[in-house]
Amino acid sequence: MKESMEGYRDSGISEEEYRKEESHLQMVLAKLTTASEELLGQLTAKQQEIVKMKQYYWENLNEFDEFKYEDLTNRQMIDAEIDAADERMKKYRLYEKLLDSPYFGRIDFCYEDDEEPETYYIGVGNFSPKKSAEPLIFDWRAPVASLYYDYDKGPASFDAPAGTISGEITRKMQYKIARGQLNYMMESDIKIDDDILVRELSLHADAKLKSIVSTIQREQNQIIRNRRDRILIVQGAAGSGKTSVALHRVAYLLYNNRRELSAKNILILSPNTIFSDYISTILPELGEEAVSEMSFDDLAAKELAGITRFESRCSQLEYLLTRPYDAEVRSAKLRKIASRGSLAFLKKLEAYVEKLGTSLVNYRDLSYKKVFREADTVRILFEEKFCLVPLLKRMQVVAGYIVDEEETLTGKELDVIEAGVIERKLTEMYRTTDIRTLYAQFLLEAGEESHDIFSGMIDYEDVYPLIYMKHLLFGSSADSDIRHLVIDEMQDYTPVQYALIRRMYHCPMTILGDKAQVMDAAPSQVLTVLPELFGETARLITLDKSYRSTYEIASFAGRIIGQTDAAYFERHGEEVFTAGYTDTASMYQSMLKRIAAEQNTCDTTAIICRTAAEAHAVYEACKDSAPMTLLTEDTAAFQKGIVVTPFYLAKGLEFDSVHIPGVTAQAYENDLDRQALYIACTRALHRLSIYYDGDKSVLLPE
């Protein structure tokens, strides 16, 4: 603790003030402990009460009145007690979290016409010792806490239920508290959420650095507290903190929209299950429950169940990256991927379905018992009266209309079997209702390749066009339970996927990613596509300051792709290590030696390869020399320590140290390899090491 206090003196914080703050912390922790113990006692009593109520219910079930009023009343009472217990449990979990780190900031605010400022401590949740007492800790999303994020010292205001409150901020403090211990405190004009930025400011507190950090934090806070824009698109350079910002935004929206929004109403579409697990702790750390997460492959599996099996995104990438390959076949695959991933393809598909109504049905007279309708009558009902109903649901609606009409005319109700026969006769007029057949016909008409549509496994690039056609033909009702959607790695998705999402989710969205990190040989057009698909409701915000990785790593990675639009934060570290070897064994030996030397300073280390096969080979060769985990497409959880993974499973993840073996001229040669190398390099925070066992790849910067 002595060393830390020297740092406080350098920051202008006296030992007396430090002692005062430590005393305040101990007071808060004592009250939290008391409240937590009381709450635990209440929970125990409440659980016992619920058990007694359930026991009474089952013992007296047969005695309740015949109209079930007593039954309903008892059920409602039990449900109410369970809900009350759940709320107490949420508060108890919050108190346990606060006991570890009760607050991270403080603001002294002098209200207009007051002489002395009020002091507010800011944390991940509210805490009052008693219901009527002034909170000792204010939630970071509370109205008064916005002062901490939106203003430097000086004149400030915030919106409260009673109106706008004005005054002056006289002081702002930031704390690092862990396990109930005050690790450090610093006076700061801005709130710094990122540990890396905090560390840099504590080491180099010059005016220029403070200005840069201030800009970063304000840009991020504009996104977090944005409640105006229905569709918010965040383009963030690698290492700009965009995913963390998006999750802070979710926590902020949950807190400020309690009546309309809960954790079960949020869905995150993420690249894979590893990434989902990697970010799963962030929202609980911010005082919220974890939300649902799903990958696009999960969505496809649900939509195509019972229709067809399909190639995964990982399998598609493996095919394109694997050597050797048939150049002509690979070129055809790339052309197909490029075509299916274009906005023009989406518009062709929509136009095809639009005009399909005139050719999909072979109209015939409907005749069953005394029910008769001429073919032209059926056509008018199908093409004119119910033209707004999706095509492959329309005959069902026509059948219902004819049954109702017949019952009205005859005054006699048709039975279920008769109504079913009429519906069957009408639906048999469709030339086909098979989605794959209709999609194949579309591809043929559009001059596109379609050889795999009826095979046992359709190509990944055809998965979402097929699902989108299904929704166009059968209709889709928006998932009303999802009231906010977060889409991460936006650059990896096609216009068809976004059009599908637009139909499935009619809710506000936060869409984020980095156009430079596309897992494709071609540049991403996402920033052009999204505004066109979502229209004026979409707002684009750019975070161009890369600060998570050191300057040496970020600038090295930028040179791989010729990046010119990123601003690299000058957080300096070791130079990128590159070395060549005459054989693979020597390369592995050198890599393992470097990994062993840094283990005391690195919590997370990654060995990142081009493909799953290469990652498996590295793992098998090195696993006996150091404990490590192999990440595969089927891996469900992120592991600390040393992991071995293909680059595409490392998307969105960060590691203290990254090692990339086998960066040879033969392995890394084309534009897709360039993207793989760039993505792998940008996963490193503090150290990056690159090895090649042969001729060095031309993609590596000099």
Side-chain angles (χ1 to χ4, degrees):
M1 189 62 68
K2 247 183 170 182
E3 288 181 4
S4 299
M5 289 178 60
E6 291 299 327
Y8 304 146
R9 292 193 187 101
D10 292 342
S11 302
I13 297 171
S14 67
E15 184 173 337
E16 180 184 357
E17 185 170 5
Y18 165 72
R19 295 299 182 195
K20 185 178 178 182
E21 286 287 356
E22 195 174 48
S23 176
H24 176 82
L25 172 62
Q26 295 308 313
M27 179 273 291
V28 172
L29 289 172
K31 291 186 180 295
L32 269 169
T33 300
T34 300
S36 180
E37 290 171 350
E38 289 177 357
L39 198 53
L40 185 59
Q42 293 170 10
L43 270 169
T44 303
K46 184 67 68 176
Q47 288 167 350
Q48 292 172 348
E49 180 65 25
I50 291 170
V51 170
K52 289 179 181 178
M53 291 175 71
K54 286 184 175 180
Q55 186 176 357
Y56 172 83
Y57 175 83
W58 289 111
E59 287 176 352
N60 295 275
L61 183 60
N62 295 328
E63 306 289 327
F64 293 155
D65 63 273
E66 61 179 309
F67 298 107
K68 302 293 184 183
Y69 293 137
E70 289 177 285
D71 179 38
L72 178 62
T73 301
N74 275 271
R75 284 179 177 273
Q76 288 175 337
M77 288 172 62
I78 292 171
D79 289 342
E81 289 298 314
I82 291 173
D83 289 343
D86 287 344
E87 286 303 311
R88 281 185 170 87
M89 180 55 74
K90 286 181 184 176
K91 185 178 283 188
Y92 179 73
R93 289 183 186 137
L94 172 62
Y95 287 179
E96 290 295 291
K97 193 182 301 294
L98 292 177
L99 279 167
D100 179 72
S101 180
Y103 47 83
F104 52 73
R106 165 187 151 187
I107 190 163
D108 294 357
F109 183 69
C110 190
Y111 290 84
E112 280 186 342
D113 302 324
D114 284 359
E115 294 183 1
E116 296 295 326
E118 297 284 341
T119 296
Y120 300 103
Y121 286 85
I122 314 297
V124 296
N126 282 308
F127 171 64
S128 298
K130 297 179 181 179
K131 282 188 177 180
S132 58
E134 177 81 2
L136 289 175
I137 307 168
F138 287 82
D139 192 291
W140 66 277
R141 297 156 294 187
V144 71
S146 67
L147 293 168
Y148 194 60
Y149 292 87
D150 293 340
Y151 294 96
D152 297 336
K153 285 188 289 189
S157 63
F158 66 96
D159 294 327
T164 301
I165 307 296
S166 298
E168 181 181 0
I169 296 172
T170 60
R171 197 172 196 192
K172 290 174 72 173
M173 301 291 294
Q174 185 157 348
Y175 309 90
K176 178 67 174 180
I177 302 170
R179 298 182 179 88
Q181 296 294 316
L182 179 59
N183 292 341
Y184 65 74
M185 56 187 283
M186 59 185 287
E187 187 162 7
S188 176
D189 286 342
I190 53 174
K191 162 67 175 85
I192 309 169
D193 288 310
D194 194 282
D195 284 341
I196 287 177
L197 294 179
V198 171
R199 192 181 309 133
E200 283 301 299
L201 274 186
S202 67
L203 294 173
H204 311 286
D206 60 88
K208 181 181 178 183
L209 185 62
K210 283 185 176 180
S211 175
I212 293 170
V213 173
S214 175
T215 301
I216 291 171
Q217 293 297 142
R218 292 193 195 292
E219 288 174 346
Q220 292 182 345
N221 197 46
Q222 286 176 5
I223 296 169
I224 292 168
R225 294 175 179 261
N226 182 303
R227 297 171 68 183
R228 301 184 309 276
D229 297 301
R230 181 175 171 79
I231 309 294
L232 189 63
I233 304 166
V234 181
Q235 157 58 35
S240 60
K242 54 188 174 294
T243 300
S244 176
V245 168
L247 293 175
H248 274 76
R249 182 171 191 241
V250 167
Y252 178 80
L253 293 173
L254 283 169
Y255 181 86
N256 285 279
N257 297 277
R258 286 294 185 200
R259 293 184 179 179
E260 302 86 21
L261 204 61
S262 68
K264 68 180 181 181
N265 303 133
I266 308 283
L267 175 64
I268 299 176
L269 275 172
S270 56
N272 53 59
T273 54
I274 300 170
F275 180 78
S276 296
D277 183 71
Y278 180 74
I279 65 172
S280 63
T281 61
I282 296 179
L283 282 173
E285 287 172 357
L286 296 174
E288 290 294 344
E289 296 179 53
V291 301
S292 298
E293 297 169 62
M294 179 174 67
S295 70
F296 266 100
D297 278 4
D298 293 333
L299 185 153
K302 181 179 177 182
E303 291 286 335
L304 295 179
I307 298 176
T308 185
R309 293 186 302 119
F310 60 92
E311 178 187 42
S312 68
R313 173 61 164 151
C314 292
S315 297
Q316 184 196 60
L317 284 166
E318 284 291 324
Y319 174 85
L320 294 173
L321 290 161
T322 301
R323 312 279 205 273
Y325 47 70
D326 185 306
E328 187 175 333
V329 173
R330 185 175 185 275
S331 295
K333 176 82 168 176
L334 287 171
R335 287 196 303 272
K336 188 160 165 266
I337 291 171
S339 174
R340 305 296 203 265
S342 68
L343 191 59
F345 184 85
L346 168 64
K347 292 179 177 178
K348 283 182 186 178
L349 181 57
E350 290 174 333
Y352 175 80
V353 173
E354 181 78 22
K355 70 174 186 177
L356 193 58
T358 59
S359 60
L360 187 59
V361 181
N362 181 18
Y363 297 107
R364 300 185 294 273
D365 292 343
L366 170 67
S367 179
Y368 175 65
K369 293 185 177 180
K370 294 182 180 181
V371 179
F372 179 81
R373 297 291 187 279
E374 290 184 348
D376 196 52
T377 300
V378 175
R379 183 192 62 77
I380 291 171
L381 288 173
F382 188 88
E383 294 184 8
E384 298 177 18
K385 185 172 183 62
F386 298 108
C387 62
L388 297 180
V389 178
L391 279 171
L392 293 184
K393 275 192 173 180
R394 201 176 298 176
M395 274 305 184
Q396 183 182 358
V397 175
V398 171
Y401 177 83
I402 291 174
V403 168
D404 288 345
E405 190 177 52
E406 197 67 26
E407 290 176 342
T408 301
L409 290 171
T410 62
K412 179 182 176 183
E413 187 173 333
L414 296 177
D415 62 35
V416 175
I417 295 176
E418 290 173 323
V421 171
I422 291 172
E423 183 176 326
R424 177 177 58 78
K425 283 180 171 288
L426 285 166
T427 55
E428 285 175 349
M429 294 183 192
Y430 283 122
R431 298 183 189 278
T432 181
T433 58
D434 182 73
I435 294 295
R436 288 181 301 170
T437 299
L438 291 167
Y439 183 61
Q441 289 175 359
F442 156 68
L443 293 175
L444 183 65
E445 185 175 308
E448 298 276 348
E449 297 176 52
S450 61
H451 62 276
D452 65 323
I453 297 304
F454 296 101
S455 67
M457 179 85 69
I458 69 167
D459 285 348
Y460 180 81
E461 57 269 23
D462 284 308
V463 168
Y464 298 98
L466 186 66
I467 296 172
Y468 187 52
M469 176 175 266
K470 173 189 167 187
H471 277 257
L472 291 175
L473 291 171
F474 283 100
S476 52
S477 55
D479 189 339
S480 58
D481 286 339
I482 302 303
R483 296 172 193 166
H484 196 94
L485 182 69
V486 178
I487 303 176
D488 206 349
E489 302 295 341
M490 65 180 183
Q491 70 280 356
D492 289 330
Y493 309 127
T494 67
V496 171
Q497 286 170 294
Y498 283 114
L500 177 63
I501 290 300
R502 187 182 56 188
R503 289 184 66 88
M504 294 179 69
Y505 302 100
H506 298 173
C507 63
M509 301 181 192
T510 303
I511 305 174
L512 61 144
D514 176 16
K515 63 181 181 179
Q517 292 186 66
V518 64
M519 291 193 295
D520 199 339
S524 173
Q525 302 300 318
V526 66
L527 297 183
T528 302
V529 168
L530 285 176
E532 183 166 344
L533 288 178
F534 289 102
E536 294 180 359
T537 58
R539 182 188 177 196
L540 172 65
I541 296 180
T542 300
L543 298 175
D544 61 359
K545 294 176 181 65
S546 176
Y547 66 87
R548 302 275 311 157
S549 300
T550 65
Y551 177 86
E552 287 75 14
I553 293 170
S555 59
F556 179 89
R559 293 200 300 276
I560 292 173
I561 60 169
Q563 189 174 54
T564 58
D565 57 352
Y568 304 124
F569 184 82
E570 293 205 26
R571 179 175 76 83
H572 289 284
E574 297 178 9
E575 291 292 339
V576 175
F577 174 83
T578 59
Y581 303 87
T582 56
D583 58 86
T584 305
S586 299
M587 178 179 71
Y588 288 163
Q589 186 177 6
S590 174
M591 179 175 70
L592 289 167
K593 186 177 180 180
R594 287 184 64 81
I595 290 173
E598 64 190 21
Q599 283 311 290
N600 290 335
T601 56
C602 295
D603 289 331
T604 55
T605 299
I607 302 172
I608 302 181
C609 307
R610 284 175 65 257
T611 68
E614 291 169 17
H616 185 268
V618 171
Y619 174 74
E620 288 297 324
C622 300
K623 65 180 181 179
D624 293 334
S625 301
M628 57 184 64
T629 303
L630 177 65
L631 300 186
T632 71
E633 185 179 357
D634 298 322
T635 302
F638 176 76
Q639 301 288 334
K640 283 194 173 184
I642 306 169
V643 301
V644 187
T645 178
F647 79 94
Y648 50 80
L649 292 180
K651 284 290 291 285
L653 309 183
E654 292 177 336
F655 302 90
D656 293 325
S657 178
V658 166
H659 300 259
I660 311 174
V663 186
T664 64
Q666 294 74 30
Y668 288 83
E669 60 175 359
N670 57 42
D671 287 338
L672 181 55
D673 299 327
R674 185 188 302 277
Q675 290 303 122
L677 186 59
Y678 173 73
I679 291 167
C681 289
T682 54
R683 302 308 90 209
L685 294 176
H686 310 298
R687 293 189 180 97
L688 174 61
S689 302
I690 295 173
Y691 315 83
Y692 47 95
D693 50 340
D695 295 332
K696 182 174 72 170
S697 171
V698 295
L699 303 181
L700 285 172
E702 292 299 329

